[in-house]
C-alpha cells in the first residue's frame, strides 16, 4: 500500500491530528512571513560575509521551509476527497507523447474532458 493511502487512512481516523497538521502548516507559513519581515536586515548582513557559502545555505533553508509548509498542509487536507481518488496524479495529457497534432494537444484534450464532466 502506498504512503498516500496510509496517510489518508490515518488522518481520516484521527481528525484532530489532521487538524493539527493543518494548523502547523498555516502557522509555519505565517511565521515564515513574519520572520522574513523581522530579520531581513540581519540576514542580508549575514549574507554579505561570504556569498559563495551562505547563499546556497539560505536557498536550502528556504526550500526546506517551503517543503515543510506544503507537507504539513497536504497531510492535513489528505482526509478530504474520494476513496477511489488517485494519489499524486496528474491529468493524462502530461504523460502522453506529443504527436503530429501539436505541442498543446494534451492540454486541449484535458480542457475538453473537464468541460464534459462539469456540464
Amino acid at each position: 500500500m502506498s504512503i498516500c493511502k496510509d496517510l489518508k487512512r490515518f488522518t481520516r481516523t484521527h481528525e484532530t491530528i489532521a487538524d493539527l497538521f493543518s494548523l502547523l502548516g498555516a502557522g509555519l507559513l505565517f511565521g515564515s512571513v513574519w520572520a522574513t519581515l523581522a530579520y531581513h536586515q540581519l540576514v542580508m548582513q549575514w549574507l554579505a560575509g561570504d556569498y559563495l557559502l551562505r547563499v546556497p545555505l539560505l536557498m536550502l533553508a528556504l526550500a526546506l521551509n517551503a517543503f515543510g509548509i506544503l507537507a504539513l498542509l497536504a497531510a492535513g487536507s489528505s482526509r478530504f476527497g474520494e476513496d477511489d481518488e488517485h494519489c499524486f496524479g496528474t491529468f493524462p495529457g502530461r504523460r502522453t507523447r506529443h504527436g503530429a497534432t501539436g505541442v498543446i494537444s494534451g492540454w486541449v484534450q484535458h480542457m475538453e474532458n473537464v468541460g464534459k464532466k462539469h456540464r
Side-chain angles (χ1 to χ4, degrees):
M1 188 166 280
S2 70
I3 294 172
C4 177
K5 293 195 186 282
D6 290 339
L7 182 64
K8 195 180 289 189
R9 187 176 348 107
F10 179 78
T11 55
R12 284 183 180 171
T13 56
H14 306 291
E15 288 193 15
T16 307
I17 295 174
D19 290 339
L20 180 64
F21 283 152
S22 297
L23 185 64
L24 286 173
L28 185 58
L29 173 67
F30 292 119
S32 300
V33 170
W34 172 80
T36 301
L37 294 174
Y39 296 108
H40 179 263
Q41 279 301 111
L42 290 173
V43 171
M44 288 296 128
Q45 289 173 357
W46 175 75
L47 277 177
D50 185 13
Y51 284 115
L52 291 176
L53 176 66
R54 293 179 181 170
V55 169
L57 289 175
L58 181 64
M59 292 296 126
L60 179 66
L62 291 174
L64 288 174
N65 186 29
F67 177 76
I69 292 168
L70 291 176
L72 287 169
L73 290 176
S77 67
S78 66
R79 67 185 180 275
F80 300 113
E82 302 297 323
D83 288 335
D84 60 345
E85 186 177 302
H86 294 294
C87 295
F88 311 116
T90 60
F91 64 92
R94 298 187 81 187
R95 287 182 259 134
T96 59
R97 299 173 80 194
H98 300 296
T101 58
V103 176
I104 60 169
S105 64
W107 178 78
V108 171
Q109 290 172 0
H110 169 70
M111 293 309 290
E112 288 174 351
N113 288 333
V114 168
K116 290 176 186 174
K117 290 178 184 176
H118 295 291
R119 286 185 191 159

